[in-house]
Amino acid sequence: MAAPSENMSALLLDAPNRTATIQTIPVPIPGPGELLIRVHAIALNPVDALYTFKPLGSSGRTVGSDFAGTVVSAAPYHDEKSPIPSFSPGDRVSGFLQGACSINDRPGAFADYLVCPADLVWRIPDSMSFEEASAISLCGLTAAQALFQRLGFVAPWDTTFKPATPAREFYALIYGASTSVGLYAAQLLHLSAKHSNTTVHLLGTASPARFDLLRAKPYSYEHLVSYRSPDWPAQIRALHPRNRGVDIALDCISQASTVGQVSSTLRDGGKLAVLRSRAAGAWDASLVPAHIDPLYDAVWRGLGERVQYHSMVLEANAEMRQFSRAFYRWLSSGDGSKLQANPVRRMPGGLGKVVGDGFMLVGEGDAVKQAEGRREEWMKPISGEKLVYSLV
Ligand SMILES: NC(=O)c1ccc[n+]([C@@H]2O[C@H](COP(=O)([O-])OP(=O)(O)OC[C@H]3O[C@@H](n4cnc5c(N)ncnc54)[C@H](OP(=O)(O)O)[C@@H]3O)[C@@H](O)[C@H]2O)c1
């Protein structure tokens, strides 16, 4: 692997102007236990656009989360109590960083080079492109945290659990089944069920245009309803043979009335995980019955770092870091085909087009309105796809 020159291009936050621009900055230097990685592909997440157009903290930080690339060098590290995976120059890896998605000053991923702890990347299988791999790390971990840490399903890599006897049966709802997180949640739920000898009846909401994708493997939905039908919660409840409601639900949108609507599909004692926080006011808490506690966490805590927004602080959590390590170790193991990457839309133009094109599509409010006026094929609304850019 050729040694990088001293400088590189990176997409840096310009907070006063609520945008990000390409600037030349020094190539970062990896610290103990970290890898220097040449970035080949990046994937866009709604938060990348959100905190570029509504910045938190200071300018000059590299934006962006998801990446895939090749290892350039690994800084020496030795700790017998906490060994980390070893990587060599040229290894293909994927991971995510927090970037400018908090007040904390941690560089993000949208740059020619980045540094990342070696235990927080996973090995990309030969059969997977950099673009596909870049679409997995953040949303795959988000889905895994929701299902295995918050909703209590058995992780496919957990060999310590005792199989339930008699075998258990669950009705599960994924609201927003065609979202990036939802597509990984469906796959992980099926893998968990197989691993733990559990039967899962998987129900989902999405646009009818996505039903064929979602009925097929690896998502294998048993029933789907359109979230645009006003009575969709009643339709979901009716899918249980005794109209009892679902045992667990994951709301992959968690916005406005969705958490209240999803709550109404739960059986007594059912559990609900959400992806956006009540504290940030993303959803209408008055619509959620008092006995239901929507379980939220932020994927960033999987990086093992303290995360600070304006009024909210999420403390670093070693257990969540261990969970991420286990998830990425599992993704790296065996034949490497544990999770199928979401369908990707390869966006033209590289780093220079991320804000003007990609962020218009994954952003909110004015950005969406601007995107609606665009006629290029790659600017159509996102549905069951991840936007990716090649940087090499
Ligand atoms: N807690 C965390 O740490 C965390 C991590 C990752 C993401 N998130 C959040 O989770 C949400 C989903 O992220 P993502 O990247 O998975 O989304 P995404 O892939 O960009 O979502 C696009 C999909 O949203 C669906 N959709 C839009 N409005 C909907 C509605 N009202 N009801 C149902 N579906 C709707 C569309 O479905 P159709 O095409 O079928 O209409 C489309 O396929 C975002 O708000 C994101 O910020 C949170």
Side-chain angles (χ1 to χ4, degrees):
M1 177 75 15
S5 59
E6 285 179 6
N7 292 322
M8 65 172 190
S9 295
L11 193 60
L12 302 190
L13 183 68
D14 173 357
N17 293 307
R18 296 174 173 259
T19 189
T21 56
I22 296 188
Q23 304 285 333
T24 301
I25 59 171
V27 171
I29 298 166
E34 291 182 334
L35 305 171
L36 177 65
I37 294 167
R38 172 71 170 112
V39 181
H40 287 245
I42 55 172
L44 306 196
N45 288 282
V47 281
D48 300 328
L50 177 68
Y51 292 124
T52 296
F53 297 142
K54 291 182 183 168
L56 295 168
S58 55
S59 293
R61 293 172 295 153
T62 306
V63 304
S65 316
D66 268 320
F67 67 87
T70 46
V71 174
V72 178
S73 62
Y77 176 85
H78 183 71
D79 181 348
E80 274 174 19
K81 286 192 199 136
S82 184
I84 58 170
S86 113
F87 289 97
S88 305
D91 285 351
R92 289 160 29 98
V93 295
S94 178
F96 76 101
L97 299 172
Q98 196 187 9
C101 294
S102 73
I103 288 177
N104 308 79
D105 188 5
R106 289 189 280 268
F110 292 1
D112 290 338
Y113 295 87
L114 57 81
V115 296
C116 184
D119 60 328
L120 290 179
V121 298
W122 54 280
R123 222 173 266 281
I124 304 171
D126 293 343
S127 57
M128 193 178 278
S129 67
F130 286 115
E131 286 76 12
E132 289 171 321
S134 72
I136 294 181
S137 303
L138 186 151
C139 286
L141 182 62
T142 304
Q145 289 174 345
L147 294 176
F148 309 134
Q149 294 195 294
R150 307 211 283 286
L151 293 173
F153 283 97
V154 176
W157 56 88
D158 182 355
T159 52
T160 62
F161 74 99
K162 293 194 180 71
T165 47
R168 297 169 79 185
E169 189 174 6
F170 281 97
Y171 277 75
L173 167 66
I174 298 181
Y175 180 88
S178 63
T179 60
S180 290
V181 176
L183 292 171
Y184 293 120
Q187 294 188 63
L188 288 168
L189 203 48
H190 289 306
L191 291 166
S192 166
K194 194 171 168 198
H195 179 63
S196 58
N197 195 24
T198 301
T199 301
V200 168
H201 300 279
L202 183 56
L203 320 178
T205 70
S207 289
R210 299 285 81 79
F211 283 6
D212 284 350
L213 169 82
L214 295 166
R215 284 192 191 109
K217 285 184 179 175
Y219 313 113
S220 306
Y221 275 83
E222 204 168 285
H223 291 285
L224 290 154
V225 299
S226 168
Y227 60 83
R228 293 193 181 88
S229 302
D231 68 338
W232 74 259
Q235 292 179 41
I236 290 289
R237 283 190 78 90
L239 289 169
H240 187 277
R242 293 181 297 288
N243 203 25
R244 192 193 60 173
V246 300
D247 300 284
I248 71 111
L250 170 60
D251 182 349
C252 293
I253 298 296
S254 309
Q255 196 178 345
S257 62
T258 69
V259 181
Q261 290 174 314
V262 175
S263 301
S264 73
T265 69
L266 285 179
R267 70 161 167 80
D268 281 349
K271 288 171 83 175
L272 165 62
V274 296
L275 298 186
R276 300 178 79 182
S277 82
R278 181 198 304 247
W283 43 271
D284 187 347
S286 72
L287 301 177
V288 182
H291 66 276
I292 294 175
D293 179 19
L295 305 169
Y296 166 77
D297 219 324
V299 69
W300 314 119
R301 294 215 300 155
L303 299 172
E305 306 276 7
R306 185 176 196 265
V307 180
Q308 187 176 354
Y309 298 97
H310 283 303
S311 56
M312 189 165 75
V313 175
L314 303 170
E315 293 300 341
N317 181 316
E319 198 184 319
M320 291 192 74
R321 170 77 172 250
Q322 284 300 335
F323 181 88
S324 309
R325 295 174 82 161
F327 176 59
Y328 289 152
R329 205 181 310 126
W330 173 75
L331 277 184
S332 303
S333 64
D335 65 0
S337 56
K338 300 286 188 310
L339 276 188
Q340 189 170 303
N342 289 348
V344 294
R345 184 187 305 174
R346 289 174 161 79
M347 298 288 284
L351 212 49
K353 291 289 184 185
V354 167
V355 176
D357 288 358
F359 280 4
M360 294 295 138
L361 289 167
V362 299
E364 296 178 349
D366 288 349
V368 174
K369 281 192 202 121
Q370 283 183 42
E372 280 169 4
R374 301 276 297 269
R375 290 288 162 259
E376 303 95 321
E377 169 63 13
W378 63 87
M379 290 300 290
K380 61 182 193 280
I382 306 166
S383 178
E385 272 182 317
K386 193 77 171 162
L387 304 189
V388 297
Y389 284 86
S390 301
L391 300 199
V392 171

